[in-house]
Amino acid sequence: MEILSHAITGSASAKLSLPRNDNVHRRLVGCRHGFSYLNLRTLRSQRGRRIFSKVQCSQQSSNNSIDFTDPDWKSKFQQDFERRFNIPHITDIFPDAQSFPSTFCLKMRTPVNEDFAEGYPSDEEWHGYINNNDRVLLKVINYSSHKSAGAECIDPNCTWVEQWVHRAGPREKIYFKPEEVKAAIVTCGGLCPGLNDVIRQIVITLEIYGVKNIVGIPFGYRGFSDKDLDEVPLSRKVVQNIHLSGGSLLGVSRGGPSVSDIVTNMEERGINMLFVLGGNGTHAGANAIHNECRKRKLKVAVVGVPKTIDNDILLMDKTFGFDTAVEEAQRAINPAYIEAHSAYHGIGIVKLMGRSSGFIAMQSSLASGQVDICLIPEVPFRLHGPHGVLRHLKYLIETKGSAVVCVAEGAGQNLIEKTNATDASGNIVLGDIGVHIQQETKKYFKELGIPADVKYIDPTYMIRACRANASDGILCTVLGQNAVHGAFAGYGGITVGICNTHYVYFPIPEVISHPREVDPNSRMWHRCLTSTGQPDFI
């Protein structure tokens, strides 16, 4: 059994029909989820001009690709979509699993009786439950042409096809007796604003259902194997004020033991609800744990809550921590601007998070209004040459007297020497593009004989460690509540997210195949370019 850092498995979803080393591959945002005829900008150097390339990728169902000549292709696509986005349920493994009236009812605010002598309290007149057949529309824009900015089309004619996903929330029937539940919470990966908010709300919601046995697994998946790490008892009293500070009450770490060892440990502890807070790799581990539990025919609900400051989880409007990161990034960009603006030929360089996705750099640049150059992993650029970043910096110094550069950590990795090292999660250790740009900028202006005062700011750990802002606080609260609702409803192998402002459940494999990326032909990236006024650096 593989360790969790290598637990990502393939799914029967769409595969790209391009080699991984093709630059176009990084532009295919959304292809995996049914958008098989995209007209996207491919940023390649060809005599210094941006060219456009029409790229086709195949939508693969379980056996074959869509045949658009088939008059029934639309209905077949929808059937395949419904199959892929059907969320796993306890009754898939236990067809005779007994359901009970929900113990979650906001009209009944007194504590649930310990022995449930009167049965499970429920109020038939309370209309606060979600019907299992409720759905949320995944995509809301009906593109009329694949030439439209950011178009995500299924076929060459951009035919409108409705794609529905499961609405999140409390169900009228539950599949776990609260007094028999032992719920565990684990936080994995790196720090992110809002972790404590989610932990707090999961605990509070579990207690409303009537659960009394709630524990935290310390330091990520490692806590399942390290005998020196004891589980942390959790209650409303313990978590009441943890959201007022950053970090994680439970601690975080990367990597961990094998999936088999984790599930065995869960059996020994009697854990039958597991809430996993983490990003793509962590969710891959959660899905592997879910599959192993089903393989062993264990009645266990494994539910993920997407935690990534980079906002790189597929299909979701945003992930918790992102809004806070964008807000906190202003505390770095503004000083960089002041330093640059106050100096003679001042240049401020700010490096923000974003391994493979440039959402933080893009949104932070838009929010600040002070950035002249925004560099992200999805858009190739050159430092040198007549159309390079350094030449544009020279132009800005000559015309404005100062400049501010915002760069995502994963941008321009082709310009620096690769480390070939990986972290505990299996992620490639990136070269420091911020320092590289700083050094190359100083060298460039020195060779030109032009004085330049270059300042470099890296606020990464300051941003990760802060508490969630109000917007993220609300998001974390609702995500935590819906994670518990999903588990009690009998679902597992799911993650909860926000989609078109509504909260939904996704099957984990559909959101972890690859990181969500900025579409260089999207309206948001165009807005960023309009704000910065930067040219193409190719």
Side-chain angles (χ1 to χ4, degrees), residues 370-374 392 396 400 402-406 532-534 537:
Q370 298 168 323
V371 174
D372 300 291
I373 298 175
C374 178
H392 187 58
L396 292 171
K400 290 181 56 182
S402 64
V404 175
V405 179
C406 179
T532 63
Q534 69 192 65
F537 299 118

Side-chain angles (χ1 to χ4, degrees), residues 210-523:
V211 179
K212 298 188 181 301
N213 196 355
I214 310 169
V215 299
I217 305 299
F219 300 104
Y221 289 128
R222 184 186 304 274
F224 284 107
S225 62
D226 194 327
K227 295 181 180 179
D228 294 328
L229 299 175
D230 296 325
E231 60 187 28
V232 181
L234 299 175
S235 65
R236 183 167 192 145
K237 184 176 180 180
V238 173
V239 303
Q240 184 62 43
N241 295 315
I242 63 173
H243 64 301
L244 300 179
S245 61
S248 169
L249 172 71
L250 304 177
V252 296
S253 71
R254 299 185 185 278
S258 71
V259 173
S260 178
D261 288 345
I262 288 178
V263 175
T264 298
N265 188 269
M266 288 172 60
E267 279 191 272
E268 293 171 352
R269 299 188 192 208
I271 294 171
N272 54 4
M273 277 191 189
L274 179 63
F275 300 95
V276 183
L277 283 58
N280 278 312
T282 301
H283 271 67
N287 192 58
I289 293 170
H290 163 74
N291 289 333
E292 182 69 12
C293 288
R294 287 166 72 93
K295 179 181 176 182
R296 300 188 189 187
K297 296 190 180 302
L298 302 176
K299 188 181 177 183
V300 177
V302 181
V303 179
V305 181
K307 175 232 68 176
T308 165
I309 210 167
D310 292 349
N311 199 37
D312 61 353
I313 300 290
L314 291 171
L315 304 177
M316 300 181 187
D317 294 357
K318 61 181 177 180
T319 52
F320 77 83
F322 175 69
D323 277 355
T324 304
V326 171
E327 183 175 315
E328 289 297 314
Q330 307 308 305
R331 302 179 189 274
I333 294 176
N334 189 52
Y337 169 78
I338 292 173
E339 286 283 352
H341 189 67
S342 301
Y344 179 68
H345 289 177
I347 299 174
I349 301 172
V350 179
K351 185 184 77 171
L352 298 177
M353 290 152 292
R355 291 186 58 85
S356 56
S357 304
F359 290 101
I360 293 180
M362 177 179 68
Q363 299 276 40
S364 298
S365 297
L366 266 172
S368 74
Q370 298 168 323
V371 174
D372 300 291
I373 298 175
C374 178
L375 305 173
I376 61 175
E378 295 87 344
V379 181
F381 62 90
R382 292 177 177 175
L383 282 179
H384 299 278
H387 303 288
V389 171
L390 298 176
R391 177 64 185 83
H392 187 58
L393 278 175
K394 177 175 179 289
Y395 168 78
L396 292 171
I397 290 297
E398 292 171 345
T399 56
K400 290 181 56 182
S402 64
V404 175
V405 179
C406 179
V407 56
E409 63 178 326
Q413 290 299 303
N414 61 307
L415 304 176
I416 51 184
E417 186 176 350
K418 289 181 171 58
T419 63
N420 293 322
T422 58
D423 62 20
S425 296
N427 299 316
I428 295 174
V429 177
L430 300 175
D432 198 327
I433 186 63
V435 171
H436 180 72
I437 293 177
Q438 177 196 28
Q439 294 172 345
E440 290 298 307
T441 300
K442 289 181 176 180
K443 179 181 176 182
Y444 175 78
F445 281 97
K446 183 177 180 180
E447 291 176 350
L448 291 178
I450 300 175
D453 190 348
V454 183
K455 297 292 194 302
Y456 174 58
I457 299 175
D458 181 355
T460 298
Y461 294 102
M462 294 172 58
I463 292 175
R464 292 189 347 158
C466 68
R467 62 172 290 193
N469 65 8
S471 175
D472 270 328
I474 295 171
L475 178 60
C476 292
T477 295
V478 183
L479 291 177
Q481 291 177 2
N482 281 323
V484 176
H485 294 322
F488 265 102
Y491 298 117
I494 63 170
T495 190
V496 58
I498 184 170
C499 176
N500 298 316
T501 73
H502 296 281
Y503 291 87
V504 301
Y505 296 131
F506 290 114
I508 290 178
E510 293 301 325
V511 300
I512 64 171
S513 65
H514 60 276
R516 176 186 176 213
E517 298 177 347
V518 174
D519 178 3
N521 196 39
S522 67
R523 287 295 301 126

Side-chain angles (χ1 to χ4, degrees), residues 43-308:
L43 303 177
R44 291 176 172 173
S45 175
Q46 189 179 73
R47 293 187 297 275
R49 294 186 298 111
R50 170 179 283 150
I51 65 170
F52 296 83
S53 174
K54 191 176 295 183
V55 182
Q56 190 167 8
C57 69
S58 61
Q59 163 70 31
Q60 295 182 353
S61 58
S62 55
N63 296 315
N64 55 356
S65 301
I66 291 178
D67 178 9
F68 293 121
T69 63
D70 184 345
D72 296 324
W73 74 263
K74 183 175 176 179
S75 61
K76 290 180 179 178
F77 172 86
Q78 287 179 312
Q79 291 171 5
D80 180 65
F81 182 89
E82 290 174 7
R83 176 188 59 80
R84 291 191 293 117
F85 281 80
N86 182 48
I87 53 181
H89 194 266
I90 280 177
T91 53
D92 299 339
I93 304 299
F94 304 98
D96 299 325
Q98 184 181 0
S99 63
F100 315 94
S102 178
T103 55
F104 181 86
C105 179
L106 299 183
K107 278 193 172 186
M108 192 282 300
R109 303 304 295 158
T110 57
V112 177
N113 187 287
E114 288 187 9
D115 56 5
F116 296 91
E118 304 299 323
Y120 289 85
S122 178
D123 188 337
E124 297 296 334
E125 296 181 358
W126 189 57
H127 300 294
Y129 296 116
I130 300 297
N131 189 289
N132 284 335
N133 294 320
D134 286 357
R135 297 293 185 269
V136 173
L137 198 59
L138 181 64
K139 299 295 178 182
V140 295
I141 300 179
N142 185 354
Y143 295 100
S144 61
S145 169
H146 59 263
K147 295 181 179 179
S148 296
E152 298 174 332
C153 301
I154 296 171
D155 70 329
N157 297 319
C158 260
T159 303
W160 170 255
V161 181
E162 293 180 351
Q163 301 167 73
W164 300 95
V165 292
H166 292 254
R167 186 184 179 197
R171 267 55 175 178
E172 194 169 358
K173 298 293 183 181
I174 59 176
Y175 285 81
F176 290 88
K177 292 183 178 181
E179 73 273 21
E180 296 177 356
V181 168
K182 181 175 182 181
I185 306 171
V186 61
T187 57
C188 307
L191 288 180
C192 177
L195 280 170
N196 282 335
D197 301 64
V198 177
I199 294 170
R200 176 178 182 270
Q201 202 58 223
I202 289 175
V203 171
I204 289 173
T205 309
L206 283 168
E207 288 197 348
I208 291 176
Y209 270 95
V211 179
K212 298 188 181 301
N213 196 355
I214 310 169
V215 299
I217 305 299
F219 300 104
Y221 289 128
R222 184 186 304 274
F224 284 107
S225 62
D226 194 327
K227 295 181 180 179
D228 294 328
L229 299 175
D230 296 325
E231 60 187 28
V232 181
L234 299 175
S235 65
R236 183 167 192 145
K237 184 176 180 180
V238 173
V239 303
Q240 184 62 43
N241 295 315
I242 63 173
H243 64 301
L244 300 179
S245 61
S248 169
L249 172 71
L250 304 177
V252 296
S253 71
R254 299 185 185 278
S258 71
V259 173
S260 178
D261 288 345
I262 288 178
V263 175
T264 298
N265 188 269
M266 288 172 60
E267 279 191 272
E268 293 171 352
R269 299 188 192 208
I271 294 171
N272 54 4
M273 277 191 189
L274 179 63
F275 300 95
V276 183
L277 283 58
N280 278 312
T282 301
H283 271 67
N287 192 58
I289 293 170
H290 163 74
N291 289 333
E292 182 69 12
C293 288
R294 287 166 72 93
K295 179 181 176 182
R296 300 188 189 187
K297 296 190 180 302
L298 302 176
K299 188 181 177 183
V300 177
V302 181
V303 179
V305 181
K307 175 232 68 176
T308 165

